[in-house]
């Protein structure tokens, strides 16, 4: 599944996090003209990464099951 930008809002809690400047620039470029905030993009990217990790774990377990 590819990453897709979604436009929704849920309850949030503020956290302070430092980003490398080059990553900030890349994110700003990715969201330019997408009508989405920096924070919302980062939240979606984190969820995507977590889901991908979970999917990879499931595939690894299934792979070992058949060995």
């Amino acid at each position: 599944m590819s990453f897709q930008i979604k436009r929704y809002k849920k309850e949030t809690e503020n956290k302070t996090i430092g980003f490398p400047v080059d990553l900030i620039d890349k994110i700003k470029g990715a969201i330019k003209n997408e009508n989405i905030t920096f924070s919302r993009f980062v939240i979606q990217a984190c969820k995507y990464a977590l889901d991908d990790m979970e999917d990879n774990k499931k595939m690894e377990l299934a792979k070992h099951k058949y060995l």
Side-chain angles (χ1 to χ4, degrees):
M1 173 168 77
S2 64
F3 179 74
Q4 298 175 0
I5 295 175
K6 299 175 184 172
R7 291 170 182 83
Y8 64 87
K9 186 174 181 178
K10 293 185 177 182
E11 183 179 351
T12 62
E13 179 180 333
N14 289 333
K15 295 290 180 189
T16 301
I17 183 169
F19 286 88
V21 174
D22 62 327
L23 181 57
I24 290 172
D25 292 339
K26 288 179 182 178
I27 293 170
K28 284 180 178 179
I31 65 175
K32 187 176 182 178
N33 300 320
E34 291 291 340
N35 194 29
I36 187 171
T37 65
F38 183 93
S39 294
R40 185 128 342 123
F41 177 88
V42 171
I43 290 166
Q44 289 179 28
C46 290
K47 286 181 179 179
Y48 179 82
L50 291 169
D51 288 345
D52 189 57
M53 287 174 63
E54 187 175 314
D55 290 345
N56 287 338
K57 283 182 185 178
K58 288 177 184 176
M59 287 189 335
E60 278 296 312
L61 288 173
K63 186 168 104 177
H64 289 294
K65 197 174 191 178
Y66 294 108
L67 292 179

